[in-house]
């Protein structure tokens, strides 16, 4: 399919055609990042889901490959994960080889039963052989899904949800095939909707040698911007299981960040996660052009100490880009239109609020259109306003302002805004607060403005790269 100038992003993964939801089976393997995904290639809404497949050297340029695990009329391939069984603990590869092993949920449309199945690949994820003894875990439930497998001690562990009960179940296995229940977590934290797509990651604490275990759980409804959202729980995984040491928080305060899981075998100590950039509230109603849905940028996770608590910090994986504009030591009063036109760009700014109680940025500015990021220093809030962002009659809840507390103390505010054709991802306070929203502006809305209202803000530096 040809490039669609209206809604096909540059750096965010989209399927060539058809519907896409959750990322699955994320793994870095032999120099490539594999992104499998919930895919209905023949439709623009959720349906008989297969695992699509794409690879990337850098998490920004993607090559889509053939369907990895295909749906059949009696078995849809729902979310799950992939690990590299380097020691061939499963015995599924020929002697001396280590297969990639996928654990996914098989959804049977006739009964609604959700059971956990296994497939393996010995050709770097290109083709997959279902395990003859599938399912490997079946409790006869219609709400038991989304296995995320990781190494644990000298064996394997897996988290998955009892969705309606809002419980994460931890299972263990020596060989990825026989699974034994170990412990449970929940209901706890945000329980406003069914739980989905759990992950348990070890995250480094900034400026220290400490780490904490962080449980990620997606919540179907009651999210911070309405509809679905994602929570994280800082805690500890030990022999007794996972327990929280802090209250749950939302991962992202925008409307469009869901079902994120981490890459297995990541390069560094910081887990890298990627999410589906949509919301079940309106996912099947957003503009489509032969394809519908995209992933967010990948993000590196760390934790930052704030008032005795650990706060999740997210930094996007971005391309180096070409600098097209800079402001240095600029006193800003009122609105300044930058001499830049971009549908895809990255803006990084350090702004000293000064005497201005309110400052911010507008992107994708055009005839009556804009998406506005406002830092209200007096109210100590950050808001992302997509009410005039372009096509907003997607769903009654779409045209909204998403607001969250401004992180950090007095002093300069670091903003990073990534715009990519049909989305805006905002990172405030060096990754401490994130808002992700889809937007559907006119292709001609390419302006960028910075503004300070009611006083003067001092822009230490602002860089625009494309
Ligand atoms: C999350 C989810 C998962 C499920 C998959 C089905 O968005 O509902 O719980 O496995 O999507 O496509």
């Amino acid at each position: 399919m040809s490039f669609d100038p209206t809604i096909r992003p540059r750096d965010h993964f989209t399927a060539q055609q058809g519907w896409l939801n959750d990322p699955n089976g994320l793994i870095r393997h032999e120099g490539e990042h594999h992104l499998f995904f919930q895919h209905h290639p023949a439709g623009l809404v959720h349906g008989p889901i297969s695992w699509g497949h794409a690879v990337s050297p850098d998490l920004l340029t993607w090559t889509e490959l053939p369907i990895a695990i295909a749906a059949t009329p009696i078995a849809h391939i729902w979310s799950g994960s992939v690990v590299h069984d380097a020691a061939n603990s499963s015995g599924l590869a020929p002697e001396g080889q280590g297969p990639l092993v996928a654990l996914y949920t098989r959804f049977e449309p006739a009964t609604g039963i959700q059971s956990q199945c296994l497939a393996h690949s010995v050709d770097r994820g290109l083709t997959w052989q279902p395990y003859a003894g599938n399912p490997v875990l079946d409790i006869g439930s219609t709400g038991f899904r989304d296995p995320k497998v990781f190494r644990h001690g000298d064996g394997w562990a897996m988290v998955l949800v009892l969705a309606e009960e809002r419980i994460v179940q931890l299972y263990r296995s020596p060989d990825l095939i026989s699974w034994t229940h170990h412990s449970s977590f929940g209901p706890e934290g945000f329980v406003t909707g069914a739980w989905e797509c759990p992950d348990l990651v070890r995250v480094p604490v900034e400026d220290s040698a400490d780490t904490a275990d962080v449980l990620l759980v997606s919540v179907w409804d009651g999210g911070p911007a309405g509809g679905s959202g994602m929570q994280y729980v800082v805690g500890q995984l030990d022999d007794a299981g996972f327990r929280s040491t802090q209250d749950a928080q939302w991962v992202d305060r925008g409307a469009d960040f869901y079902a994120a899981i981490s890459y297995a075998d990541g390069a560094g100590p910081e887990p890298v996660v990627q999410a589906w950039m949509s919301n079940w509230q309106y996912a099947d109603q957003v503009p489509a052009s032969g394809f519908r849905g995209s992933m967010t940028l990948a993000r590196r996770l760390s934790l930052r100490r704030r008032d005795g608590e650990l706060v999740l910090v997210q930094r996007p994986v971005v391309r180096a880009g070409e600098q097209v504009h800079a402001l240095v030591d600029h006193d800003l009063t009122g609105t300044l239109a930058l001499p830049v036109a971009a549908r895809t760009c990255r803006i990084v700014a350090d702004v000293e609020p000064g005497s201005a109680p309110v400052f911010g940025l507008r992107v994708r500015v055009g005839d009556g259109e804009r998406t506005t990021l406002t830092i209200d220093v007096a109210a100590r809030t950050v808001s992302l306003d997509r009410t005039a962002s372009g096509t907003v009659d997607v769903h009654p809840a779409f045209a909204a302002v998403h607001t969250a507390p401004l992180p950090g103390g007095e002093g300069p505010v670091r903003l990073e805004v990534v715009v990519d054709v049909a989305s805006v991802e905002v990172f405030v306070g060096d990754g401490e607060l994130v808002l992700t929203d889809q937007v559907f502006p006119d292709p001609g809305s390419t302006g960028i403005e910075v503004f300070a209202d009611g006083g003067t803000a001092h822009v230490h530096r602002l860089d625009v790269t494309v």
Side-chain angles (χ1 to χ4, degrees):
M1 185 181 292
S2 62
F3 178 74
D4 183 300
T6 308
I7 57 171
R8 178 84 77 186
R10 185 188 67 183
D11 294 337
H12 290 71
F13 177 73
T14 52
Q16 278 305 302
Q17 61 175 34
W19 164 272
L20 158 165
N21 59 294
D22 315 354
N24 299 142
L26 304 182
I27 186 167
R28 191 180 64 101
H29 184 61
E30 294 186 8
E32 285 179 317
H33 296 88
H34 291 263
L35 162 65
F36 300 89
F37 56 96
Q38 293 284 281
H39 192 22
H40 180 204
L44 289 171
V45 294
H46 196 262
I49 293 284
S50 298
W51 271 28
H53 187 194
V55 289
S56 172
D58 56 5
L59 296 164
L60 293 162
T61 32
W62 297 97
T63 305
E64 193 174 339
L65 298 174
I67 294 280
I69 310 179
T72 69
I74 56 165
H76 300 175
I77 314 300
W78 279 14
S79 286
S81 53
V82 167
V83 288
H84 179 213
D85 182 16
N88 200 15
S89 66
S90 62
L92 291 166
E95 189 71 30
Q97 290 184 39
L100 291 179
V101 173
L103 266 297
Y104 59 88
T105 298
R106 177 176 77 192
F107 171 73
E108 293 172 56
T111 59
I113 296 287
Q114 299 173 11
S115 58
Q116 317 319 315
C117 290
L118 184 152
H120 82 277
S121 170
V122 289
D123 59 3
R124 295 161 72 215
L126 212 53
T127 61
W128 293 83
Q129 287 70 47
Y131 179 61
N134 276 337
V136 294
L137 180 60
D138 182 4
I139 60 168
S141 170
T142 55
F144 184 48
R145 60 180 181 269
D146 307 339
K148 179 70 168 87
V149 180
F150 50 96
R151 277 196 202 88
H152 188 60
D154 52 9
W156 301 97
M158 155 169 103
V159 282
L160 68 175
V161 288
L162 285 170
E164 300 303 330
E165 292 86 341
R166 285 77 155 159
I167 291 173
V168 172
Q169 299 281 53
L170 181 77
Y171 280 73
R172 297 183 66 172
S173 172
D175 58 7
L176 295 163
I177 294 169
S178 68
W179 292 94
T180 311
H181 182 256
H182 177 266
S183 52
S184 306
F185 173 84
E188 193 184 311
F190 297 106
V191 293
T192 41
W195 281 12
E196 302 188 310
C197 300
D199 196 359
L200 191 47
V201 287
R202 179 149 295 172
V203 186
V205 179
E206 284 181 355
D207 303 323
S208 82
D210 299 347
T211 60
D213 296 314
V214 175
L215 181 67
L216 303 169
V217 184
S218 291
V219 189
W220 172 269
D221 198 14
S228 43
M230 246 195 105
Q231 63 182 317
Y232 71 95
V233 183
V234 176
Q236 197 178 328
L237 174 65
D238 56 26
D239 287 345
F242 177 82
R243 66 193 151 75
S244 60
T245 51
Q246 294 179 202
D247 288 343
Q249 304 289 335
W250 294 110
V251 175
D252 190 301
R253 302 293 297 251
D256 296 305
F257 188 86
Y258 198 66
I261 55 168
S262 60
Y263 277 84
D265 301 338
E270 298 183 344
V272 175
V273 299
Q274 201 165 5
W276 174 40
M277 190 154 54
S278 198
N279 189 312
W280 278 117
Q281 194 172 42
Y282 50 67
D284 59 359
Q285 293 164 59
V286 294
S289 172
F291 72 97
R292 183 181 266 147
S294 82
M295 299 301 169
T296 65
L297 290 181
R299 300 175 183 179
R300 293 180 210 291
L301 302 185
S302 57
L303 291 163
R304 185 174 296 160
R305 282 190 207 285
R306 280 276 178 220
D307 307 324
E309 299 272 279
L310 292 172
V311 180
L312 194 67
V313 170
Q314 303 171 63
R315 293 201 178 82
V317 174
V318 293
R319 70 169 71 212
E322 176 203 344
Q323 175 145 11
V324 290
H325 190 69
L327 285 176
V328 182
D329 277 335
H330 182 91
D331 282 320
L332 179 67
T333 312
T335 294
L336 174 69
L338 303 184
V340 178
R343 294 188 304 125
T344 292
C345 66
R346 173 169 172 249
I347 305 161
V348 179
D350 284 307
V351 183
E352 189 79 54
S355 62
V358 171
F359 69 91
L361 275 167
R362 297 185 197 97
V363 296
R364 301 303 307 271
V365 179
D367 187 13
E369 289 185 2
R370 69 201 76 89
T371 300
T372 306
L373 169 67
T374 303
I375 313 298
D376 187 327
V377 186
R380 295 208 63 78
T381 60
V382 176
S383 61
L384 187 58
D385 179 347
R386 65 174 175 186
T387 56
S389 57
T391 301
V392 294
D393 59 352
V394 164
H395 178 277
F398 190 89
V401 183
H402 302 135
T403 303
L406 174 64
E410 307 278 297
V413 179
R414 163 153 287 213
L415 303 175
E416 177 169 2
V417 179
V418 181
V419 180
D420 192 8
V421 180
S423 66
V424 179
E425 283 162 284
V426 174
F427 300 80
V428 184
D430 202 15
E432 218 171 296
L433 168 70
V434 189
L435 296 113
T436 302
D437 276 348
Q438 295 182 87
V439 290
F440 299 97
D442 186 274
S445 298
T446 55
I448 302 173
E449 296 174 353
V450 287
F451 65 91
D453 290 343
T456 301
H458 184 73
V459 180
H460 287 297
R461 193 168 178 108
L462 180 147
D463 293 288
V464 184
T465 48
V466 296

